[in-house]
Amino acid sequence: MTQTYSVTRAEPIPVLPTTTKYRSNESVRKSLPAVWMRAGTSKGLFLHRRHLPASKTLWEPILLSAMGSSKGSSRQIDGVGGASSTTSKVAIVERSNRPGVDVEYTFVQVAPDQPRIDVTGNCGNIASGVGPFALDEGLVNIPEREKEVGFLSYFQWEDVWETRLIEKPQVNIKIFNTNTGQHIVETVQVATDGSFREDGDYAIPGVEGTASPIRVAFLKPCGSMTGQMFPSGMHQEMLTVQSRGFGTLAVRVSLVDAANPFVFVDAASLPVEASSSIADAADPVFLALIEDIRRHGAVRFGLAENVQAAGQVRGTPKIAILSPATGDVDGVDIEVKAFSMGKPHASLQLTGAVCLGAATIIHGTIAWDLAHAKEGKELPKHGMSLGDHQIAGAVPVGIRHPAGVIHTETVLGMDRNGAIDVDRVAVYRTARRLFEGRVFYRP
């Protein structure tokens, strides 16, 4: 049996000194309180907003130095970054004053090979660690009276009241992402002391072992950066691309903005010479083509004035190649090969799963076409809500990526005027606190 509670704000936390100085004969080192966490299939540095300068313009040199990207070294040897886009991330978290929001966080993608940060988009995997971090850091808590009721409850059986232990109590944490203005509700399990209950038997592809499940629900995810799910006005289109290695070509794409803007490319529309490189996605010529498509997609999205400007922001829009599901594996609807910061992604961004999960249940997108390529897949998998009430449950959509299969649950919503929108998309993740202490940086 599970029990889910709302949360209340914790008591104000005293502001600590933002830095500690360690003096040597020749220099002064600075540090910040920090937690290193695995969140989903990413790893990142989790920081309190109050420990950073008030002006965000002063964050970049601190984060670049802490992660090891100040000099643009691709190895990030002189920092805690892991030399890949999935291990070079930062979450900056604070208690929120917004109505109906518990905590808010800003996501920072630190380039692993350039002295540059990107705050234009969100990271769903890192977001899955915000709820556990907030619980453990005292940014939210469960009221003592609810804590007691949560773990011991009373049941009547033949006029006899008995006390039973409720297993795995849960808490809903309402999160606001400042990058995209999106609301996320995370359902996490809680230990008896009110901290995040980490242990469990849930496994996700790309991560060894098991942990407790974290349900990450993106509310109203469409239009995260552009204000529309289909900013070009089309569910799919042919995008003309001036590529560096293949000349002028046209590829079939769906430009979808849900959780993050994604350029979804139909693998069958790629040049024959390029399509053979999908399996060996690290081929430099192939990666250059993918980047060229992404840049032209950015212009079509309205996120950049031209392809040159699009090349200056590598974090958004993101890009992924779609193919129909192969084999007879049950529960797999579509296959995807995603890219991040110019490199092949080892699995799939969580926001990519959310965006693709939403696109798969919208008629006319490339995702819809490929997911319904086989016979017997005509039944809708989405749930349905009317106003604030869910009237039909969602059937999971299975997305196969290089590390395994991820499932999304999409609920469409209808307002009083009959207009349909994506109400929410939920995905399950796990997270683990790896170490805590102070991270050093050079001023």
Side-chain angles (χ1 to χ4, degrees):
M1 176 183 294
T2 60
Q3 183 74 39
T4 304
Y5 304 108
S6 60
V7 298
T8 61
R9 301 183 188 280
E11 291 300 316
I13 299 175
V15 177
L16 301 177
T18 57
T19 61
T20 294
K21 297 182 179 180
Y22 294 81
R23 296 189 176 275
S24 66
N25 292 331
E26 299 180 356
S27 65
V28 176
R29 294 178 292 177
K30 293 186 177 182
S31 68
L32 294 170
V35 174
W36 189 253
M37 289 185 68
R38 176 190 63 78
T41 53
S42 294
K43 287 194 294 186
L45 201 62
F46 283 68
L47 304 172
H48 286 271
R49 173 69 176 82
R50 68 181 188 274
H51 291 153
L52 288 169
S55 174
K56 293 184 178 180
T57 60
L58 301 177
W59 292 3
E60 184 171 60
I62 296 173
L63 300 181
L64 289 176
S65 177
M67 298 299 285
S69 293
S70 294
K71 305 300 181 182
S73 171
S74 61
R75 299 173 64 195
Q76 291 185 316
I77 287 295
D78 199 31
V80 298
S84 72
S85 64
T86 56
T87 57
S88 187
K89 301 182 177 185
V90 181
I92 299 168
V93 188
E94 63 180 322
R95 188 179 298 130
S96 179
N97 292 320
R98 301 173 191 269
V101 177
D102 299 307
V103 293
E104 51 191 79
Y105 97 103
T106 300
F107 168 67
V108 182
Q109 175 70 67
V110 180
D113 56 353
Q114 296 180 19
R116 180 182 299 174
I117 66 173
D118 189 341
V119 294
T120 59
N122 185 16
C123 173
N125 276 297
I126 289 297
S128 69
V130 172
F133 175 82
L135 271 183
D136 287 345
E137 295 294 306
L139 295 177
V140 296
N141 65 6
I142 302 175
E144 289 300 323
R145 59 179 183 82
E146 292 190 1
K147 235 187 257 185
E148 295 169 2
V149 174
F151 291 90
L152 292 176
S153 190
Y154 298 93
F155 295 83
Q156 188 175 23
W157 176 73
E158 293 184 354
D159 296 324
V160 177
W161 288 92
E162 69 173 281
T163 303
R164 297 180 186 174
L165 178 67
I166 294 180
E167 297 180 355
K168 300 179 180 178
Q170 301 176 139
V171 62
N172 288 328
I173 300 176
K174 299 173 183 177
I175 300 167
F176 179 81
N177 173 244
T178 64
N179 306 74
T180 61
Q182 287 185 320
H183 291 264
I184 302 168
V185 176
E186 288 185 10
T187 305
V188 301
Q189 294 183 7
V190 187
T192 54
D193 62 356
S195 64
F196 170 54
R197 178 173 177 168
E198 192 172 277
D199 295 337
D201 56 6
Y202 189 79
I204 61 174
V207 177
E208 298 178 354
T210 62
S212 65
I214 302 169
R215 186 177 188 270
V216 185
F218 286 73
L219 309 184
K220 305 291 185 183
C222 296
S224 65
M225 290 186 66
T226 65
Q228 302 176 70
M229 184 173 184
F230 302 103
S232 72
M234 303 179 70
H235 287 194
Q236 64 174 271
E237 58 191 285
M238 297 302 295
L239 181 68
T240 300
V241 177
Q242 303 291 335
S243 72
R244 288 165 283 183
F246 295 86
T248 303
L249 68 155
V251 292
R252 193 163 75 110
V253 301
S254 285
L255 305 178
V256 186
D257 183 1
N260 258 332
F262 265 80
V263 180
F264 290 130
V265 182
D266 181 1
S269 70
L270 292 172
V272 175
E273 311 94 292
S275 59
S276 62
S277 299
I278 295 178
D280 181 22
D283 176 60
V285 176
F286 178 73
L287 290 178
L289 172 62
I290 295 302
E291 175 61 12
D292 290 335
I293 297 173
R294 191 195 69 82
R295 293 181 184 183
H296 283 78
V299 176
R300 183 66 173 149
F301 259 115
L303 295 173
E305 293 185 0
N306 51 56
V307 292
Q308 290 75 24
Q312 298 301 308
V313 180
R314 296 197 299 168
T316 53
K318 302 183 186 299
I319 186 169
I321 301 172
L322 306 183
S323 306
T326 56
D328 297 320
V329 179
D330 291 336
V332 176
D333 296 277
I334 195 168
E335 297 187 6
V336 60
K337 179 67 179 179
F339 299 81
S340 176
M341 303 292 285
K343 301 291 179 63
H345 199 288
S347 54
L348 174 64
Q349 302 96 328
L350 192 69
T351 54
V354 170
C355 191
L356 183 53
T360 301
I361 54 91
I362 301 295
H363 190 276
T365 65
I366 293 173
W368 169 279
D369 290 348
L370 297 178
H372 293 79
K374 291 185 178 181
E375 295 183 2
K377 289 197 173 183
E378 295 301 322
L379 293 176
K381 287 197 166 187
H382 62 81
M384 198 72 199
S385 65
L386 184 59
D388 295 328
H389 303 284
Q390 186 167 329
I391 58 177
V395 176
V397 169
I399 302 170
R400 180 187 288 135
H401 54 75
V405 178
I406 187 171
H407 292 90
T408 63
E409 299 173 356
T410 302
V411 176
L412 295 181
M414 179 184 295
D415 64 19
R416 297 179 182 274
N417 298 319
I420 301 294
D421 193 9
V422 178
D423 186 64
R424 74 198 66 169
V425 182
V427 188
Y428 287 85
R429 298 280 85 185
T430 63
R432 190 165 81 89
R433 196 178 182 98
L434 301 178
F435 71 76
E436 59 186 30
R438 307 189 72 90
V439 63
F440 288 89
Y441 65 94
R442 292 186 175 182

